[in-house]
C-alpha cells in the first residue's frame, strides 16, 4: 500500500543538539511539506518542496533545515538554533496542484529534555 | 490566501447528521474549498474539496453557497470516530506553492 512514513514516532532531544526527523513517501508525489503543531493549535508550515533539489521556506523556517535529494524523501533537521522545538511535527505529500489533497504522515512528537 | 471563519467547537449526537459551517466571504474565483480533519494525536486526513458545485464522497458531502461566500461540510450520520478537529481551507490555484494554510478549525464532539 502506498503511503507516507514518519520516524521516529517519539523523539527526545537534549538542549543544544541537532536532530533529524525522517519522512518517506511511496506515492510518487512531487510535492512534500513539513508542518509544526503546538498543543491546541493549528498547523504551521516550516518548509516545502515541489521538486527534487529544490525547497522553499514556509512561515516558521528559522531554526530548521531540510534537503530533497530524492523524490521519496524529505528529512527535517531541527537545529540548536530553534529556541522552542518541543512540538508535534507532521510531514505531508501531494501531487502538485490545488485539485489534489495532501496525504499526511502520523507525525513525530519531539520533546526537549 | 483568503481567510476562513469556523466555530471553535460543535457538539453532535451519535447517528445524527452534522453540519459544519465555514465562512469565506473574501473567496476569489480561483479558490478551491478543501476540508481536512484531524483525529487526536494523528496527522490530518483529507475529507473533501470543491470549487462551485456540491460534492459527495464516501466520507461526507460539501455544500457550497451559490455566492461561494460560505460552505458546509455534512456528515450524514455522526459516529464516535468522527470526533476530530475539522479544518476548512481555501487553496488558490495561482498561489506559488499551492500550500495548505491551516486555521484553528472546529472541534467536533460526538456524544453517544
Amino acid at each position: 500500500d502506498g503511503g507516507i512514513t514518519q520516524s521516529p514516532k517519539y523523539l527526545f532531544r537534549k538542549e543544544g543538539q541537532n536532530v533529524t526527523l525522517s519522512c518517506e513517501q511511496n506515492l510518487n508525489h512531487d510535492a512534500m511539506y513539513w508542518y509544526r503543531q503546538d498543543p491546541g493549535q493549528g498547523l504551521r508550515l516550516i518548509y516545502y518542496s515541489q521538486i527534487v533539489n529544490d525547497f522553499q521556506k514556509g512561515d516558521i523556517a528559522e531554526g530548521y533545515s531540510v534537503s530533497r535529494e530524492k523524490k521519496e524523501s524529505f528529512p527535517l533537521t531541527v537545529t540548536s538554533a530553534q529556541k522552542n522545538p518541543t512540538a508535534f511535527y507532521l510531514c505531508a505529500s501531494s501531487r502538485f496542484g490545488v485539485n489534489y489533497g495532501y496525504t499526511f504522515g502520523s507525525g513525530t512528537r519531539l520533546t526537549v529534555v | 490566501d483568503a481567510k476562513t471563519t469556523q466555530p471553535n467547537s460543535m457538539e453532535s449526537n451519535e447517528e445524527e447528521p452534522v453540519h459544519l459551517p465555514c465562512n469565506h466571504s473574501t473567496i476569489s474565483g480561483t479558490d478551491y474549498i478543501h476540508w481536512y480533519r484531524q483525529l487526536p494525536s494523528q496527522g490530518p486526513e483529507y475529507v473533501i474539496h470543491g470549487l462551485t458545485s456540491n460534492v459527495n464522497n464516501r466520507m461526507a458531502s460539501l455544500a457550497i453557497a451559490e455566492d461561494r461566500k460560505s460552505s458546509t461540510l455534512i456528515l450524514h450520520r455522526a459516529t464516535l470516530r468522527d470526533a476530530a478537529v475539522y479544518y476548512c481551507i481555501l487553496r488558490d490555484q495561482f498561489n506559488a506553492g499551492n500550500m495548505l494554510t491551516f486555521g484553528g478549525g472546529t472541534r467536533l464532539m460526538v456524544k453517544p
Side-chain angles (χ1 to χ4, degrees), chain B residues 34 46 62 73 79 86 89-90 100:
Chain B
H34 283 245
Y46 165 82
L62 176 60
L73 180 71
T79 70
Y86 287 79
I89 302 168
L90 301 183
L100 285 178

Side-chain angles (χ1 to χ4, degrees), chain A residues 61-98:
Chain A
E62 185 175 351
Y64 300 97
S65 66
V66 293
S67 63
R68 186 88 186 275
E69 297 177 0
K70 298 186 300 182
K71 188 176 186 177
E72 301 80 16
S73 179
F74 192 41
L76 174 74
T77 297
V78 184
T79 74
S80 57
Q82 170 51 236
K83 298 304 179 189
N84 186 20
T86 295
F88 189 43
Y89 290 88
L90 289 155
C91 180
S93 70
S94 73
R95 294 183 184 179
F96 187 74
V98 296

Side-chain angles (χ1 to χ4, degrees), chain A residues 9 33 35 37 40-43 45 48 50 59 88 90 94 96-102 104-107 109, chain B residues 30 32 34 36 38 41-46 49 87 91-104 107:
Chain A
K9 191 172 180 65
Y33 313 83
Y35 286 87
Q37 187 173 36
Q41 305 296 313
L43 282 69
L45 183 66
Y48 65 97
Q50 297 173 336
D59 300 319
F88 189 43
L90 289 155
S94 73
F96 187 74
V98 296
N99 207 24
Y100 299 101
Y102 281 26
F104 281 84
S106 55
R109 195 167 297 278
Chain B
T30 56
Y32 280 76
H34 283 245
Y36 284 75
Q38 186 177 23
S41 298
Q42 295 188 27
E45 174 186 29
Y46 165 82
H49 78 280
Y87 297 98
R91 297 188 69 192
D92 180 359
Q93 64 179 305
F94 295 122
N95 178 294
N98 293 313
M99 298 86 69
L100 285 178
T101 301
F102 287 80
R107 182 173 299 277

